[in-house]
Amino acid sequence: MTSSNDSSIPASKRTISRRSVLASSVAAGLVTAVSPPIIKALGAEPVKLGWIDPFTGTYAALGTSQLNGAKMAMAEINKKGGIIGRELQIVAEDSAANVGQATEKLNKLVDQQKVNFTAGGVSSAEASAMSHAANLKNVLYLAVGGH
């Protein structure tokens, strides 16, 4: 006996079983039940990226260049619908290439600005310190320079 899913039977001769119709109906019902929370999340508040780099001092040109690159990427992401339908925003802070100031700014962005994740750092000292601070705050940190 062959099943209706047997590949030896041409597709035009296969029948649809009651079981597959019932399974499809249940799946459609579940999608409908789960969709409203997903739809509400789309377009809700923006995804915030906290960017910490030196915009003053010796490494200001590097920090500014990194931020400009991030802003270009943000424009492309938002033009394509954002992140799961949510707009991406960058909230930038000046670290002045100072490790203490960099971690202070990261903490400020997480605690006060409620950023979703963080990035930046032109020096390995900054990157290491911010990585540790982000870990303590349970927030993702992306080291974009760190040389």
Side-chain angles (χ1 to χ4, degrees), residues 93-141:
E93 287 284 346
D94 181 12
S95 69
N98 178 295
V99 173
Q101 192 168 328
T103 55
E104 201 175 281
K105 298 295 176 113
L106 184 138
N107 289 329
K108 174 186 171 190
L109 287 170
V110 173
D111 295 337
Q112 295 175 14
Q113 296 291 328
K114 306 295 184 204
V115 298
N116 302 98
F117 57 107
T118 58
V122 297
S123 74
S124 57
E126 270 186 310
S128 178
M130 287 192 288
S131 177
H132 180 69
N135 186 47
L136 292 174
K137 294 283 184 182
N138 207 22
V139 172
L140 177 67
Y141 166 71

Side-chain angles (χ1 to χ4, degrees), residues 51 53-55 59-68 122:
W51 197 274
D53 251 335
F55 305 122
Y59 297 108
L62 287 171
T64 301
S65 179
Q66 288 180 357
L67 179 60
N68 288 341
V122 297

